[in-house]
Amino acid sequence: MDEWSNQTTAMSYYSNMTNRKRKSSSSWPASSLSSSSSAAVKLSFLPLRPSTLSILTRRGFHTCSDVFASKTNGGISNFAAELDVDPMEAAGIHCEVESAVRTYYGDHNLEYNDSCSNTIRTMGPQTAASILSLQYSQSYGLKSRPIITFAQAVDSLLGGGIQPKEVTEIVGSPGVGKTQLAMQLCVDAHLPIAFGGVGGESIYIDTEGSFSPERCWDMAKALCDHLQGSVRRSNGKKELPEEFSVESILDSINVFRVLDETSQSCTIQSLSDFIETKKEKGHCVKLVVIDSIAFHYRCSSHDYKSRTKSLAKIASLLADIAAKYDIAVVVINQMTMKIQGSSSGTVVSGNGGGDFVLEQQQQQQQNQSMEENLMESGSGSGSSSLVPALGESWAHAMTTRLLLTFPSDSNSSSKRRLCKLVKSPHKPEGTAIFTITEFGIRGDLSTFK
């Protein structure tokens, strides 16, 4: 595969939906590591898994240049053919080699040359103080900024918003607003730094066909109006960048439509390449959204063991991407009905694009049941409960987990929602109220409940 045939920006997506003719193309990004720059690096020197090293050496791959040249000459399909594996596994192996090279020689400060093959760099431990200092930006002297949700209570609950360098999972039943929140985050990721944002781009991997460019347009228009009002109230102290507009916000959202499990995995495997290409062009990606991670696994032919292994690789890769590029990764997950004593369940899913208009009375009942049962350990024989899909192994791989539910006292026409922080390494559990409005995600008079 040589081109990103399923990638487009939200702006071009919106234009197509409104019958505006606008051509958009994007080349499959080449690897950021050239074969010539790492020709002398032996694979045996890299921190590769024994199984990966065995596959490569058995097929005659002994240096990094062998691996990179194979993909350069014929794409990932050529590399897969030479390894005699399927393309998805080949993409994973290629990504592992690239990651190992970067880890071995450092991300930015060292060049790949002939002397690299003669010296093995020992990766020593880091102190807690040194790790903490790396979290602060040299440009601003501040910790890397989170991406705000535009709901003050939710932002306070999360310590300022969706945190960078972390994988945040958002779970909930259909109609509760998961996709709404995901699209709002993509819009907010382009908020200028001068106004408390991160001023970056976002990547939206759409597995369900739920991405709505019209809804993003509404959210982007509301954001522009809000900032223009802020500028007027500042009496000249604040100034909005000239290029900041509804169109620029939508152009900053890069949408990938994936239609099956294989294309989903390959897209995720190639995220590093795409982010590097954007970086070379002066565009900084600050957010990656996958909506949803579980959708294609519902009809997967893989057995439980294979699925768990595949998900573990994806979770590890997403965590590496978040840490390396200082970005926030948000994963939308569905709910599944789990019968106690059973390792599988029936996925409760919905078209995220209809989150805003689904009938809510039935969803409230599901969410109330889910909230009661999610944290319980199922002691009753034959009992069942709604739990996040993909199992406990996936749950352990997530840095932060948010559970979206309906308030128990709200009526069927209510737009209020509850955001419950179920898991976090640095914040206590808690619940915040937010509202889904015509302008997007907004706060509520209440803060914590």
Side-chain angles (χ1 to χ4, degrees), residues 225-239:
D225 292 344
H226 173 78
L227 295 185
Q228 288 169 359
S230 178
V231 169
R232 288 193 296 269
R233 292 190 295 271
S234 69
N235 295 322
K237 294 181 180 179
K238 292 183 180 180
E239 186 175 350

Side-chain angles (χ1 to χ4, degrees), residues 355-411:
D355 271 355
F356 197 50
V357 296
L358 284 176
E359 294 183 5
Q360 297 176 1
Q361 260 182 336
Q362 181 180 0
Q363 304 306 328
Q364 288 176 353
Q365 295 174 0
Q366 290 180 352
N367 275 274
Q368 290 169 19
S369 173
M370 174 186 62
E371 191 172 10
E372 293 171 357
N373 293 302
L374 178 62
M375 303 307 295
E376 295 180 359
S377 63
S379 57
S381 176
S383 60
S384 62
S385 60
L386 276 173
V387 298
L390 303 182
E392 294 183 2
S393 296
W394 173 262
H396 289 307
M398 298 296 99
T399 311
T400 301
R401 169 171 279 179
L402 301 178
L403 170 64
L404 305 188
T405 65
F406 292 89
S408 58
D409 58 347
S410 64
N411 55 49

Side-chain angles (χ1 to χ4, degrees), residues 4 28-29 49 71 76 86-99 102 205 258 261-275 290 297 309-318 320-321 325:
W4 286 107
W28 181 287
R49 293 176 302 163
K71 181 182 176 183
I76 200 66
D86 60 76
M88 185 174 68
E89 184 175 356
I93 292 174
H94 193 278
C95 184
E96 183 179 348
V97 172
E98 286 192 325
S99 178
R102 293 191 183 99
I205 300 178
V258 295
E261 181 187 344
T262 300
S263 60
Q264 174 180 318
S265 297
C266 289
T267 300
I268 294 174
Q269 294 281 3
S270 301
L271 280 177
S272 292
D273 285 339
F274 185 78
I275 293 171
I290 303 176
Y297 283 97
K309 182 179 179 181
S310 176
L311 285 170
K313 288 182 179 180
I314 289 176
S316 177
L317 180 58
L318 291 175
D320 289 343
I321 290 173
Y325 296 106

Side-chain angles (χ1 to χ4, degrees), residues 2 8 47 75 93 124 126 162 165 199 203 276-277 290 304 308 327 354 377 382 416:
D2 297 323
T8 183
I93 292 174
Q126 292 179 290
I162 302 297
K165 297 181 181 291
I203 297 173
E276 288 284 358
T277 301
I290 303 176
Y304 178 78
T308 302
I327 64 178
S377 63
R416 297 167 69 243

Side-chain angles (χ1 to χ4, degrees), residues 125-142:
Q126 292 179 290
T127 65
S130 64
I131 295 174
L132 181 64
S133 65
L134 289 175
Q135 296 180 357
Y136 287 78
S137 168
Q138 295 179 351
S139 301
Y140 300 95
L142 300 172

